[in-house]
Amino acid sequence: VLATLPAGALSYGEPAGHPVLREALAGLLARRRGVVAGADRVVVGQGVGHGLAVVAAWARRAGHTAIAVEDPGSTPIWELFNAHGLRPVPVPVDAGGLDPDRVAALTGVRLVMVTPAHQFPTGTVLAPDRRRALVAWADRVDGLVLEDDYDGDFRYDRAPVGALQALAPERVVYLGSASKSLAPALRLGWLVAPYALVGELAAQRRYHDLMSPVLDQLAFAELIRSGGYDRHLRLSLRTYRDRRETVRAVLAATRPDWTLSGIAAGLHVVAEVGENAPALVARAAAAGIRVPSLATYATTPAPGVPDALVLGYAHLRPAELTPALQALATV
Ligand SMILES: Cc1ncc(COP(=O)(O)O)c(C=O)c1O
């Protein structure tokens, strides 16, 4: 990529991202995730976290002070919102995901963040009627839905559920990144915004750090253009599916009393352990195994929701996973 670039390409570029990458992403996201994405809706950034910070900065200027978030949910993202002056308001998640009626019942909240394809961390899918109700609510209150599609490429039993954004492209900001497909360390992400907002979000992005590194953007665009990224995603899908199967098989053999919940997707699985998960987490830590409990991601444990472990497996080879799980099964 570097060898083909004129010197001028290394100067400051568009805050929304290099046009070549925005075009490539628009095609990729439309094709793989059903996102309604012209390049003119895309803003390139440094991951979902960065995209949310950009949206939060805009939201504060637009008068928002709070945002509804899934509970349990990604607690680091709650902290991020807090740090940007948006109060996260936890809304309980059940088997159908976030309940839009509970969001609608909040006063003074016109923003919500959801993980519709694979709720983090419980692993459910946002039910179809709730998807529709959520965007209808956003329309009614002149609000906005932030769709965190952090692991939407990875569904193992069927084609992934398409992006919520397609239901209402003017009411949803779709956010994704290369963190789960390549590596978090790349800090490469994107958002797809309503037309009414994309200019303002690009401006906020410029106030943050002017723009993303051009070489990274063009290298990633070339990976997409060449078909290499699709091949890599197909390979990763198989790899992660095998690792998930290893988790299922090892735990079925060693802990038949534990129940795995959530859809076959993503990079983690929830294991209901039928005992006080924090105590098990403490015993695991003493044995050198770091594993969080579901309660770590919740404000208050939901009544009737069994405590559980959240097992991230995608970064471990079966030869590493198997002994780790066997050890966990007996702590
Ligand atoms: C649910 C969820 N959303 C967003 C992120 C942040 O991702 P990124 O690396 O794209 O900022 C994470 C990170 O693990 C996550 O688990």
Side-chain angles (χ1 to χ4, degrees):
V1 168
L2 190 53
T4 64
L5 282 185
L10 295 179
S11 185
Y12 295 101
E14 292 181 33
H18 197 288
V20 171
L21 178 57
R22 291 164 68 202
E23 196 66 56
L25 281 170
L28 178 87
L29 297 173
R31 183 162 49 76
R32 292 194 64 94
R33 304 293 300 121
V35 175
V36 176
D40 50 358
R41 285 183 185 274
V42 176
V43 179
V44 177
Q46 315 238 6
V48 170
H50 179 227
L52 291 172
V54 167
V55 176
W58 162 82
R60 285 293 287 135
R61 290 169 72 105
H64 293 274
T65 54
I67 179 165
V69 295
E70 296 166 323
D71 182 13
S74 178
T75 41
I77 290 178
W78 301 357
E79 287 168 26
L80 181 148
F81 286 138
N82 252 328
H84 285 274
L86 275 187
R87 181 171 50 87
V89 182
V91 176
V93 165
D94 61 28
L98 186 82
D99 183 349
D101 289 342
R102 300 186 74 139
V103 177
L106 301 170
T107 41
V109 177
R110 292 184 298 119
L111 286 175
V112 63
M113 197 196 89
V114 276
T115 47
H118 186 223
Q119 203 275 329
F120 184 85
T122 62
T124 58
V125 173
L126 187 61
D129 56 328
R130 290 185 172 187
R131 291 160 67 95
R132 286 190 294 274
L134 204 58
V135 293
W137 163 81
D139 229 11
R140 235 177 15 251
V141 302
D142 189 23
L144 203 59
V145 178
L146 311 186
E147 176 176 19
D148 175 2
D149 196 34
Y150 67 108
D151 67 356
D153 279 305
F154 301 109
R155 178 85 194 236
Y156 309 119
D157 55 341
R158 48 155 283 176
V161 176
L164 171 69
Q165 184 262 6
L167 288 181
E170 290 304 311
R171 284 294 167 204
V172 180
V173 177
Y174 170 94
L175 302 111
S177 79
S179 292
K180 303 291 190 264
S181 57
L182 294 172
L186 289 179
R187 305 318 301 143
L188 194 54
W190 42 86
L191 62 81
V192 180
Y195 278 129
L197 221 63
V198 65
E200 292 179 55
L201 293 183
Q204 285 302 330
R205 198 246 176 283
R206 180 161 57 86
Y207 303 148
H208 272 216
D209 58 350
L210 301 186
M211 59 183 253
S212 283
V214 167
L215 289 184
D216 298 16
Q217 293 188 67
L218 290 180
F220 189 51
E222 179 54 22
L223 189 63
I224 297 172
R225 189 208 59 77
S226 68
Y229 189 60
D230 281 282
R231 276 196 302 283
H232 173 76
L233 285 173
R234 281 196 296 277
L235 178 67
S236 306
L237 186 82
R238 284 199 296 276
T239 305
Y240 295 167
R241 181 197 285 141
D242 288 351
R243 292 176 183 184
R244 187 181 184 90
E245 175 50 24
T246 300
V247 176
R248 196 204 56 74
V250 173
L251 291 182
T254 53
R255 292 306 303 240
D257 55 321
W258 291 4
T259 309
L260 300 188
S261 62
I263 58 165
L267 288 76
H268 71 277
V269 65
V270 172
E272 290 162 21
V273 292
E275 67 162 299
N276 180 348
L280 201 154
V281 167
R283 294 203 302 280
I289 306 166
R290 197 158 48 87
V291 57
S293 78
L294 194 58
T296 318
Y297 300 100
T299 41
T300 46
V305 176
D307 205 355
L309 301 179
V310 180
L311 303 170
Y313 53 78
H315 58 302
L316 295 170
R317 288 188 292 273
E320 298 164 311
L321 262 177
T322 302
L325 289 165
Q326 285 167 339
L328 180 65
T330 53
V331 291

